[in-house]
Amino acid sequence: MPLLDIYSDVLGYLFWLLLLIVVIQPWLSMKSMQHARLRLMGIIEHKYGYRVITMIHRQEKVGFLGIPVYRYIDIEDSEAIIRAIRTTPPNMPIMLILHTPGGLVLAASQIARALKSHPAKKIVVIPHYAMSGGTLIALAADEIVMDQNAVLGPLDPQIGGPGGAYYPAPSILRAVEVKGKDKVNDETLILADVAEKSLRQVKELVKELLKGKVDDKKVEEIADKLVGGYYTHDYPITVEQLKEMGLKVSTNVPPEVYELMDLYPQARTNRPGIEYLPYPIVPRPASSERRE
């Protein structure tokens, strides 16, 4: 066989081997990361005595093409978490680690009710944020544990309008009130009717989740403030504000939770937007100190 043909065959084999590596590398990396997460979750369970459940929603990239996928609370999440809660022994406390921009009210309410019904202690740990539906789930816990800089979000329902736009339910009702029912079209009146029902339903759910944790007067105040349009939907509600409302919030986040969050990496662009030197860094001695 001519030497040129041998080189051609070798290059062909190398090409297909390289292609195979490129295809399976993301899968191997994902499996390795998953193993590391489960191992750390086991360490947290052994150390603190809680059944650990995570719901971490980050923007992810799929496969070697790097296609971004945006995660939010959906029915699959509620099915998985309800299954995890159902298989947890009644006397075992639950630690739900939560990081989410929100999602479907149906799924979030199912998770919240399932968590509240668990007989043992329940804590929700929020290292960064839990907005909208995530806040609803947090209210089901006996205690909310947040990083000092973490935030929750308002629960005002978002109503789908014409053209695929979404409007806050309280704003729809306010617009009809200001303009007058006789000066808006039928479509707006229908939206207002749906908005009124949505507000009532979400307020009742919030009060159901808070019952027995704060006094009845506080329950009403918290429900009105979170649901009634006091904030814009994307407003970040801080630890201090939550405590002022009367919610039981602590900032004693287990250090292992931060380690666990590092194992859910955000999808990266070609150029990182945030860079810093890792600490601790040993400071260099001054020139006079070096001479001594």
Side-chain angles (χ1 to χ4, degrees), residues 118-134:
H118 182 68
K121 184 178 179 181
K122 293 84 60 179
I123 67 171
V124 169
V125 181
I126 302 165
H128 188 47
Y129 67 83
M131 306 298 284
S132 191

Side-chain angles (χ1 to χ4, degrees), residues 70-238:
Y70 299 89
R71 299 293 309 280
Y72 58 89
I73 304 171
D74 59 20
I75 295 300
E76 289 185 2
D77 290 326
S78 65
E79 289 177 357
I81 291 182
I82 290 171
R83 190 182 309 117
I85 293 171
R86 186 173 61 247
T87 57
T88 303
N91 61 342
M92 178 177 285
I94 289 176
M95 176 191 294
L96 175 60
I97 301 172
L98 196 56
H99 177 84
T100 180
L104 299 177
V105 175
L106 170 60
S109 62
Q110 284 184 303
I111 295 170
R113 285 189 169 112
L115 187 64
K116 182 177 173 62
S117 66
H118 182 68
K121 184 178 179 181
K122 293 84 60 179
I123 67 171
V124 169
V125 181
I126 302 165
H128 188 47
Y129 67 83
M131 306 298 284
S132 191
T135 300
L136 192 66
I137 294 169
L139 295 179
D142 298 312
E143 182 181 1
I144 303 171
V145 182
M146 300 171 61
D147 180 86
Q148 184 62 45
N149 298 299
V151 295
L152 297 183
L155 294 168
D156 50 318
Q158 304 299 294
I159 309 300
Y166 280 83
Y167 303 102
S171 298
I172 295 173
L173 295 177
R174 197 160 296 131
V176 173
E177 180 185 353
V178 170
K179 199 168 184 179
K181 291 183 179 180
D182 57 333
K183 295 182 180 179
V184 297
N185 58 27
D186 290 347
E187 188 175 46
T188 303
L189 289 175
I190 292 170
L191 287 176
D193 181 62
V194 174
E196 185 178 6
K197 292 173 182 174
S198 298
L199 280 171
R200 184 177 66 251
Q201 290 164 184
V202 176
K203 278 186 180 180
E204 289 300 320
L205 177 56
V206 169
K207 289 190 283 187
E208 175 190 331
L209 296 175
L210 291 176
K211 187 177 181 180
K213 300 173 188 176
V214 294
D215 62 64
D216 293 343
K217 183 180 178 181
K218 277 290 184 184
V219 167
E220 289 287 345
E221 290 177 1
I222 294 170
D224 286 338
K225 203 160 193 178
L226 290 179
V227 182
Y230 184 84
Y231 306 105
T232 59
H233 192 64
D234 60 349
Y235 181 80
I237 305 175
T238 65

Side-chain angles (χ1 to χ4, degrees), residues 244-264:
E244 288 173 5
M245 289 183 197
L247 292 172
K248 186 177 180 181
V249 181
S250 81
T251 55
N252 300 318
V253 178
E256 295 84 359
V257 170
Y258 297 113
E259 296 178 38
L260 185 62
M261 288 299 295
D262 288 338
L263 299 176
Y264 290 87

